[in-house]
Amino acid sequence: MKWKMLLSASSLSQHFRSLLRSCSVTSSLHPGKQLHAAATVSGLLSFPNYFLLNALLHLYASCSSLPYAHYLFDQIPQSHKDTVDYTTFIKCLSRQGYPQKALNLFAEMRQRGLSIDGVSMVCVLNACARLGDVKVGEQCHAGVVKIGLLKCVRVCNALMDMYVKCGGLVGEVKKVFDEMEDPSVVSWTVVLEGVVKWEGVENGRVLFDRMPERNEVAWTVMLVGYVGNGLTKEAFMLLQQMVFSCGFGLNYVTLSSVLSACAQSGDVSMGRWVHGYGLKMMGWDMDVMVGTSLVDMYAKCGRIDAALAVFNNTSRRNVVTWNAILGGLAMHGKGKAVVDMFPCMVEEVKPDAMTFMALLSACSHSGLVEKGLQFFKELESVYGIRPEIEHYGCMVDLLGRAGQLEEAEAVVRKMPIPPNEFVLGSLIGSCYTHGKLQLGERIMTELVHMDPLNTEYHILLSNMYVLSGKVDEANSFRQILKKRGIKKVPGMSSIYVDGKLHQFSAGDKSHSQTAEIYIMLNDMIRRLRFSGYVPNTSSQVLFGCSGRDDCTEEALEEVEQVLFSHSEKLALSFGLISTVSGSPLYIFKNLRICQDCHSAMKIASDIYNREIVVRDRYRFHSFKQGSCSCSDYW
DNA sequence: GGCTCCCGTT
């Protein structure tokens, strides 16, 4: 009788495990939880059943439910945890954003003398890839060789992926690949990603065409490569081939990957196509990641109204979606909208650390000092979020921009984490804006220790010396910069016209329409001057003129010429001659827009009757009828 | 007996 009961219990357990497996495969958390409850009630879990526990652990890991997975992992007695249990939880930690914890757990597993198999090695290599830790990755490589796992295709794939993600050691990737007896389509795809990322999209295409077989991932990698490099036409051609000739459907991972690339490169035409595709296939009930990527894409492409429309129509929203829209509004200087929307967010989802970055930067960009201080206070006391260095950075920025330099410095001195170069960099920026030379000098000393090769801060301080009449100090600074050979990151501006990205550097003459662009530029400067534009040479005197130390009239003229051929103005001139009159222009700049270009854009938006949207490294400026959305508050 | 690789939102 007892034997019969045991037998039925064992078959019941098998039944449960097979049901749990199907929940894991489909990431069905709710039915899985019900099974968990049923297993508990039936008494199956009241005596040790390690396979069932592992199936439950796997369920929660597959459903990205870290707290439950952690609970299950702890439920398994230490003496009975085997390689499979560890592997399941290591993968879960790595995927949920804790790759370091995953590696720590692997170390624990090894200390306990448990064997390493191909599967656990794949998971550990994956954690190294996510962490970007090539050192541990190389140790694993040695382990792979030692255990004889090089014949295992998936291990090799994970190994190559680790080298791709950890700084692009494409040589290592190819070495592993060449030794493989029978590389799979995944192996080829990993190499493809490495080549696209580190050897350029053209080289990637050569490899793509040579691949014996291509899956949707390979197509996605290639697409993202094109979009990320501004090659919209090529991307559309590839997409057409993928969907219409080869019959691939686009899944949600492909859609969000492509959208993320669109957001980065500012390619709204491809972004819109993906939006249309998503609507046709899924309607508004689309995947939460796709919806979020859409919101982010529209916001980062300067279409904040479209971002809001998508946000309001999406039926699935999580904290990331909210963060995307609040961050987008913040970048567009719509601080009040952010403050007004926050209470609605709290009703719907729990805000996280990232939310407060968006909130504080919104206050910072809109000069809402009181509101920002209040948010910062509530961050810990109401929402239980421990402030991170980025939050302190936002506070320093908020107070500094508003001219409250003493308060900003007090934040730096009192913060429990040592300030990094971004925090101090923001402070020195505010010192420049508000002419606080002495504080600037002090901060500079600290910054030089932290980041001796940074040019931006050196230039800022040197400019401050000039503005306060200390030309000698400025000159000595310039000498230091010259001696050390510190080079400025070149400013680049780009603009999409007819699905093609056109890039300009300062004084660029490489564009095929250079002659027309410069004719337009000269005409524009003339009209700008006529409307009251005065070149702002004050901050350029120092580093603009190619190493001249004098400030004669000719030097000044030279400085003006440098100003006029700033990359933003070239992109604007090109945009004006190559688009329909009255249509808005969207320009992307890799650094902060300069003061002079900012004034020029304001007037240009009026005299040419165009909306000009400029995305710089930090935020958006929308110029319309002579004024800017930032209200000149940077 | 189970745990696995490539593209994935702020």
Side-chain angles (χ1 to χ4, degrees), chain A residues 478 529 533 535-548 550-566 569 596:
Chain A
R478 227 190 305 174
R529 281 191 198 262
Y533 159 73
N536 176 1
T537 48
S538 62
S539 64
Q540 297 293 320
V541 176
L542 347 127
F543 285 94
C545 34
S546 33
R548 310 179 63 132
D550 48 348
C551 283
T552 59
E553 216 162 278
E554 292 114 62
L556 205 66
E557 213 165 278
E558 201 181 312
V559 170
E560 282 189 359
Q561 285 311 312
V562 171
L563 268 185
F564 297 157
S565 60
H566 270 183
K569 295 192 185 83
D596 183 74

Side-chain angles (χ1 to χ4, degrees), chain A residues 6-18 42 44 52:
Chain A
L6 269 178
L7 187 72
S8 73
S10 129
S11 83
L12 188 65
S13 160
Q14 253 176 24
H15 213 62
F16 264 110
R17 275 159 48 205
S18 114
S42 72
L44 266 182
L52 189 55

Side-chain angles (χ1 to χ4, degrees), chain A residues 601-610 612 623-626:
Chain A
M601 295 267 173
K602 278 202 282 190
I603 304 174
S605 73
D606 196 33
I607 57 181
Y608 294 99
N609 195 26
R610 297 263 201 155
I612 306 166
F623 303 93
K624 227 182 201 167
Q625 287 161 357

Side-chain angles (χ1 to χ4, degrees), chain A residues 353-554:
Chain A
M354 195 73 89
T355 311
F356 279 85
M357 315 258 182
L359 291 177
L360 295 174
S361 84
C363 294
S364 180
H365 285 317
S366 303
L368 304 169
V369 178
E370 285 306 311
K371 199 69 202 169
L373 286 168
Q374 184 200 328
F375 280 138
F376 188 69
K377 216 184 268 170
E378 292 177 356
L379 167 70
E380 197 158 18
S381 64
V382 178
Y383 300 97
I385 299 163
R386 187 192 293 261
E388 291 163 24
I389 193 148
E390 288 83 0
H391 297 116
Y392 288 102
C394 286
M395 289 314 287
V396 172
D397 205 52
L398 171 81
L399 294 163
R401 277 175 205 271
Q404 304 185 16
L405 272 303
E406 287 79 16
E407 289 84 345
E409 200 198 357
V411 172
V412 172
R413 300 299 165 219
K414 274 193 267 176
M415 54 194 273
I417 321 161
N420 60 15
E421 71 232 57
F422 298 107
V423 175
L424 294 181
S426 153
L427 190 56
I428 208 168
S430 299
C431 290
Y432 173 68
T433 314
H434 297 282
K436 303 277 183 184
L437 186 59
Q438 280 186 333
L439 181 57
E441 278 179 321
R442 263 193 286 139
I443 303 297
M444 190 65 201
T445 331
E446 292 176 54
L447 265 174
V448 170
H449 281 295
M450 270 179 212
D451 191 6
L453 289 177
N454 188 306
T455 355
E456 225 173 301
Y457 312 140
H458 283 86
I459 292 176
L460 268 181
L461 196 68
S462 161
N463 285 0
M464 278 167 72
Y465 281 127
V466 170
L467 288 181
S468 55
K470 298 189 173 177
V471 182
D472 289 346
E473 277 92 337
N475 280 340
S476 76
F477 235 85
R478 227 190 305 174
Q479 292 307 320
I480 295 175
L481 284 176
K482 261 192 210 162
K483 234 186 243 162
R484 289 195 196 157
I486 303 176
K487 287 261 154 60
K488 207 173 164 176
V489 178
M492 296 282 290
S493 294
S494 45
I495 179 168
Y496 278 96
V497 172
D498 292 331
K500 190 174 181 306
L501 186 73
H502 299 260
Q503 283 185 303
F504 299 91
S505 57
D508 205 330
K509 293 199 167 141
S510 61
H511 195 277
S512 61
Q513 285 165 266
T514 294
E516 291 101 308
I517 293 169
Y518 276 84
I519 291 170
M520 180 67 207
L521 180 66
N522 286 330
D523 186 57
M524 179 169 80
I525 300 293
R526 194 181 49 79
R527 291 183 65 178
L528 287 174
R529 281 191 198 262
F530 190 70
S531 300
Y533 159 73
V534 181
N536 176 1
T537 48
S538 62
S539 64
Q540 297 293 320
V541 176
L542 347 127
F543 285 94
C545 34
S546 33
R548 310 179 63 132
D549 294 333
D550 48 348
C551 283
T552 59
E553 216 162 278
E554 292 114 62

Side-chain angles (χ1 to χ4, degrees), chain A residues 12-182:
Chain A
L12 188 65
S13 160
Q14 253 176 24
H15 213 62
F16 264 110
R17 275 159 48 205
S18 114
L19 286 170
L20 283 169
R21 218 179 356 259
S22 31
C23 290
S24 300
V25 171
T26 54
S27 298
S28 314
L29 182 60
H30 192 62
K33 273 184 177 171
Q34 287 179 316
L35 284 168
H36 188 179
T40 312
V41 172
S42 72
L44 266 182
L45 284 171
S46 36
F47 56 92
N49 187 336
Y50 303 117
F51 286 139
L52 189 55
L53 283 174
N54 180 266
L56 281 165
L57 172 60
H58 187 222
L59 163 82
Y60 291 121
S62 311
C63 297
S64 329
S65 177
L66 186 56
Y68 279 106
H70 205 308
Y71 170 78
L72 256 300
F73 188 71
D74 288 343
Q75 286 292 99
I76 307 170
Q78 194 69 292
S79 53
H80 281 83
K81 272 184 196 136
D82 63 7
T83 302
V84 176
D85 299 317
Y86 270 97
T87 305
T88 310
F89 196 46
I90 284 172
K91 188 196 169 194
C92 181
L93 284 170
S94 168
R95 288 192 71 103
Q96 296 303 307
Y98 302 95
Q100 183 60 58
K101 286 187 178 167
L103 291 183
N104 296 345
L105 197 65
F106 178 62
E108 182 190 310
M109 173 183 146
R110 285 183 55 189
Q111 264 172 11
R112 298 200 42 229
L114 291 167
S115 64
I116 302 164
D117 62 1
V119 184
S120 52
M121 193 50 98
V122 165
C123 294
V124 172
L125 283 166
N126 187 270
C128 293
R130 281 169 196 270
L131 198 63
D133 189 338
V134 77
K135 283 270 168 292
V136 182
E138 279 166 344
Q139 287 171 22
C140 291
H141 191 166
V144 167
V145 176
K146 204 169 138 195
I147 310 171
L149 287 171
L150 270 180
K151 58 184 185 309
C152 176
V153 177
R154 287 179 192 227
V155 171
C156 288
N157 295 344
L159 188 58
M160 292 191 292
D161 185 52
M162 183 276 295
Y163 281 122
V164 168
K165 302 270 158 64
C166 298
L169 298 166
V170 183
E172 287 298 318
V173 177
K174 288 180 179 167
K175 230 188 268 171
V176 176
F177 184 78
D178 289 340
E179 292 290 314
M180 288 179 75
E181 256 174 45
D182 193 17

